[in-house]
Amino acid sequence: GVGRGGHVRAFIPRRSLVIAQVALSFVLLTGAGLLSRSLGNLENQELGFVPEHRTLVRINPPSLAGQRERLIALYASLRERLSSIPGVQEVSYSLYGPMQGDNWSGGISIAGRSANPSAPITASWNRVGPRYFEAIGTRLLRGRVLDDVEVAEGPRVCVVNDAFRRRFFEDTDPIGARVGLGGAARAGDYEIVGVVEDVKYIAPREAVRPMIFLPAFQTVEYADANSAGASVQARSMALMRTLVIQADVDAVVLEPAIRRAVAEVNPDIPVMSVLPYTDQVSTNFRTERLMARLTSVYGLLALILAAIGLYGVTAFWVAQQTRE
């Protein structure tokens, strides 16, 4: 009886350790499952554009700041030449594209609304080329999009996203309202002609910000050509580095033709990258994907160790009871 009591007392801490191991492994596996589910929700959320059958091209255009006419001619040639590639359906360009992590923003003003210096209103903004929304697969909700002429000439117009409408116009129709980048003096610079659906531009976890889409090469006049507003305007036009191509051909197949087309337009323009837009979207989930995979691996290892420990302790306890 004394021997049996000693065996039982010695077995209790071993059994408790195995129980703790099993519990910890199941906690890790549960965490891995929750992380995987969160990752799935992030990847399957509504992004506001269609990355499938889209190719993202990053170029490094020549320094043409302040040379608006040369910029217009350059991007018109790029768009025309790229559109001639077999399988290509749409080609456009922008200052930056969805899910690239870029964001240009600043204070804005809306005609007919008094400014509050203590609480200035801000919004993100982007410069886009002709048929940009068609190229990235973003739906028009109200009004119209920018036409080819307005990208450079014509009345100064803009398109806003639905988050902009909700924030600044609530239940009213923003079509026809005038906005501008900067203080109250700039409130009448652009007329809103359309509203598009919200698009994730910065990060998948962040809420969509109010956003204004300006024609790529439309300009406003500044009294001081060296002012901050004039400088930002010139710089934003010169940094048009993103090309979006909609095609029924894979990016890997398109890449040689894209590089040849750009070289034919201007051999001094380096093509920095050509990749499927789905790959660009996927890079935004690297951290979450790594955490889910590591937690799953650690949970499985802990479960295996707990199973081995449970088997070892049980076998040892049975061996101790053999004499009885």
Side-chain angles (χ1 to χ4, degrees), residues 42-320:
L42 282 173
E43 291 179 325
N44 296 320
Q45 67 177 309
E46 186 63 43
L47 299 175
F49 74 106
V50 182
E52 292 78 16
H53 305 294
R54 266 81 180 176
T55 299
L56 177 65
V57 182
R58 294 281 288 173
I59 63 173
N60 190 10
S63 179
L64 296 175
Q67 303 180 53
R68 178 170 169 268
E69 298 305 320
R70 290 186 63 186
L71 283 168
I72 293 172
L74 172 64
Y75 283 91
S77 298
L78 282 172
R79 186 164 176 257
E80 180 181 2
R81 179 62 185 85
L82 290 169
S83 297
S84 67
I85 298 174
V88 171
Q89 299 165 349
E90 294 284 358
V91 178
S92 193
Y93 49 86
S94 61
L95 182 57
Y96 56 96
M99 302 290 279
Q100 287 186 268
D102 294 335
N103 179 57
W104 287 54
S105 63
I108 65 168
S109 51
I110 302 175
R113 301 192 184 187
S114 56
N116 184 357
S118 62
I121 58 176
T122 61
S124 299
W125 57 274
N126 194 3
R127 288 191 176 274
V128 301
R131 298 191 64 80
Y132 171 75
F133 300 108
E134 292 87 344
I136 66 172
T138 294
R139 294 181 297 115
L140 176 69
L141 302 180
R142 301 187 186 189
R144 64 177 179 85
V145 294
L146 308 173
D147 62 35
D148 290 13
V149 175
E150 290 169 339
V151 169
E153 306 294 343
R156 291 193 294 266
V157 296
C158 68
V159 171
V160 299
N161 67 351
D162 201 41
F164 188 99
R165 179 196 62 81
R166 293 193 305 271
R167 173 75 63 83
F168 302 117
F169 291 90
E170 297 180 354
D171 296 328
T172 60
D173 190 354
I175 304 299
R178 304 194 71 88
V179 299
L181 307 181
R186 313 255 40 118
D189 284 345
Y190 295 94
E191 179 186 353
I192 299 175
V193 296
V195 179
V196 294
E197 66 179 316
D198 292 336
V199 177
K200 295 274 186 174
Y201 270 84
I202 303 174
R205 287 186 176 275
E206 290 194 20
V208 176
R209 302 182 183 186
M211 195 164 187
I212 304 172
F213 297 92
L214 307 175
F217 300 113
Q218 274 197 0
T219 58
V220 296
E221 298 297 328
Y222 288 88
D224 181 3
N226 296 318
S227 65
S231 176
V232 169
Q233 177 175 261
R235 193 168 72 253
S236 65
M237 287 190 294
L239 293 178
M240 209 83 60
R241 295 177 176 173
T242 299
L243 303 175
V244 179
I245 300 174
Q246 180 189 1
D248 53 12
V249 183
D250 291 338
V252 176
V253 178
L254 277 178
E255 182 170 358
I258 290 172
R259 292 184 180 275
R260 283 196 302 271
V262 173
E264 289 174 8
V265 173
N266 188 332
D268 296 327
I269 299 179
V271 177
M272 311 304 292
S273 63
V274 178
L275 73 160
Y277 222 122
T278 51
D279 289 0
Q280 174 63 38
V281 172
S282 181
T283 60
N284 287 267
F285 305 105
R286 284 180 298 188
T287 302
E288 290 83 0
R289 191 176 294 111
L290 178 63
M291 290 298 296
R293 288 175 179 173
L294 285 177
T295 308
S296 299
V297 170
Y298 290 145
L300 287 172
L301 286 176
L303 185 60
I304 292 171
L305 290 175
I308 293 173
L310 180 61
Y311 173 80
V313 171
T314 304
F316 179 75
W317 181 77
V318 170
Q320 292 292 312

